[in-house]
Amino acid sequence: GAGVSQSPRYKVAKRGQDVALRCDPISGHVSLFWYQQALGQGPEFLTYFQNEAQLDKSGLPSDRFFAERPEGSVSTLKIQRTQQEDSAVYLCASSLAAGELFFGEGSRLTVL
Amino acid sequence: KNEVEQSPQNLTAQEGEFITINCSYSVGISALHWLQQHPGGGIVSLFMLSSGKKKHGRLIATINIQEKHSSLHITASHPRDSAVYICAVRVGNEKLTFGTGTRLTIIP
């Protein structure tokens, strides 16, 4: 596609539900990043892939958060047993190695 | 203390004014990004800098590596420039560290 595509754009989950957020990066982009943006805050790093390898997951806030990119293209961020504090916009970005970043529109998660 | 500090946090100006947003950082970086985020919208990359100065239309970005400081300037500001402007630095393994953003409002 022409840009980074994220789905769903909006997700409402009941506390305790599992959610999966998808990111389709720009074709050929080796680097893929996930960020979490709470309301009124700047984005916070979650995790980073280079192709299928997850090189940095230091930003994942708990073991309820899991990300994968099994074929080096599409990535999924999974949140198990969602809590209210997980409510945020989850942003995906991709780039060629060390190049300009392209962001998706984000997935807004609301946990009730 | 955040590794990336932006000032001001909020800025309101009249249409046509010259705008400056500042970013200071405390770590060694490989690149600095200026990003724009409209309310409810995604993030758009404006500039990626590792040295010197870049210009795109009415936007100018400068960086001083020795002083660990960058500025984003907007000339002849327009209400459509109203957005949050975010400075982010690339360190180490390519992850970005973001500032908290500057909320710019341009009044017609």
Side-chain angles (χ1 to χ4, degrees):
Chain A
V4 179
S5 177
Q6 291 189 245
S7 61
R9 288 290 316 277
Y10 303 93
K11 175 69 178 178
V12 178
K14 291 183 179 178
R15 190 175 57 179
Q17 274 186 325
D18 297 349
V19 300
L21 308 176
R22 176 188 169 104
C23 173
D24 273 281
I26 292 173
S27 179
H29 279 194
V30 300
S31 299
L32 185 145
F33 304 82
W34 282 99
Y35 294 91
Q36 180 191 57
Q37 186 174 25
L39 189 64
Q41 303 295 317
E44 298 279 346
F45 170 79
L46 292 176
T47 187
Y48 157 60
F49 291 87
Q50 187 167 350
N51 295 306
E52 70 278 3
Q54 189 174 20
L55 298 187
D56 188 340
K57 54 182 181 179
S58 62
L60 296 176
S62 78
D63 60 6
R64 296 185 296 103
F65 286 71
F66 172 77
E68 60 182 6
R69 194 185 185 198
E71 297 179 358
S73 56
V74 172
S75 178
T76 303
L77 176 67
K78 297 179 180 177
I79 309 172
Q80 296 177 324
R81 304 181 305 281
T82 52
Q83 304 293 315
Q84 285 187 319
E85 63 263 28
D86 300 335
S87 296
V89 175
Y90 290 86
L91 295 164
C92 176
S94 72
S95 74
L96 296 170
E100 183 181 356
L101 274 178
F102 295 84
F103 285 82
E105 292 288 319
S107 292
R108 181 178 298 275
L109 172 65
T110 302
V111 181
L112 302 178
Chain B
K1 184 180 184 296
N2 198 358
E3 292 176 331
V4 183
E5 298 282 348
Q6 284 186 239
S7 63
Q9 288 189 321
N10 293 284
L11 177 58
T12 300
Q14 292 291 132
E15 182 174 357
E17 285 191 37
F18 181 81
I19 303 299
T20 296
I21 299 170
N22 296 299
C23 175
S24 296
Y25 53 92
S26 57
V27 297
I29 67 170
S30 56
L32 181 143
H33 296 252
W34 280 104
L35 309 166
Q36 181 193 56
Q37 186 172 34
H38 282 101
I43 293 177
V44 174
S45 177
L46 298 175
F47 295 103
M48 184 176 74
L49 293 164
S50 54
S51 65
K53 174 180 173 178
K54 286 190 176 180
K55 184 176 189 292
H56 185 244
R58 295 181 295 106
L59 273 58
I60 302 166
T62 63
I63 187 168
N64 185 317
I65 296 295
Q66 287 73 30
E67 295 186 2
K68 293 187 168 61
H69 181 269
S70 175
S71 293
L72 176 68
H73 305 285
I74 305 175
T75 62
S77 59
H78 189 276
R80 65 175 174 266
D81 298 327
S82 298
V84 175
Y85 291 83
I86 303 171
C87 169
V89 298
R90 175 169 283 173
V91 295
N93 64 353
E94 298 194 46
K95 76 178 187 183
L96 290 184
T97 301
F98 291 78
T100 53
T102 295
R103 184 174 302 278
L104 174 66
T105 304
I106 303 297
I107 299 171

